[in-house]
Amino acid sequence: MKNFFKYARVDFYRAICSRRFIIGVVGVFLCMCLGMCVDGGYNISVLYVFDAVTYGIPFLLVTIFSAFPYAISIHDDEKMDICIY
């Protein structure tokens, strides 16, 4: 059990402190900000922002930016033969 917490701590540190995670967070933030932009101005209606971001292109971009760090870490683990299935 002690090894589990040790490995989990290392994995969380590797996930949160990596540049890929920062790129994902910044990408999601920019997609949300650009999703709020309407005709050169910002609409502050929460319902409109939810609708525009959820059912538009920003939703797809948010999904991509959210999956990016996880997908790259899985690829790195498989490349180094760390994954055990």
Side-chain angles (χ1 to χ4, degrees):
M1 192 64 151
K2 187 175 183 180
N3 283 339
F4 172 76
F5 289 118
K6 179 180 162 184
Y7 291 136
R9 189 182 84 228
V10 170
D11 283 341
F12 281 124
Y13 177 78
R14 192 176 74 169
I16 293 175
C17 294
S18 71
R19 61 183 157 84
R20 297 175 190 121
F21 181 77
I22 303 298
I23 290 170
V25 169
V26 170
V28 168
F29 175 75
L30 290 176
C31 287
M32 295 295 179
C33 287
L34 292 176
M36 291 187 305
C37 188
V38 179
D39 299 328
Y42 287 96
N43 190 347
I44 56 173
S45 169
V46 174
L47 183 58
Y48 174 79
V49 171
F50 176 77
D51 188 42
V53 170
T54 304
Y55 299 110
I57 294 297
F59 176 73
L60 298 174
L61 293 174
V62 165
T63 305
I64 290 169
F65 279 118
S66 298
F68 175 70
Y70 179 73
I72 296 297
S73 68
I74 291 293
H75 174 70
D76 288 346
D77 287 349
E78 287 179 350
K79 187 168 62 173
M80 299 174 116
D81 289 331
I82 296 173
C83 291
I84 300 171
Y85 297 109

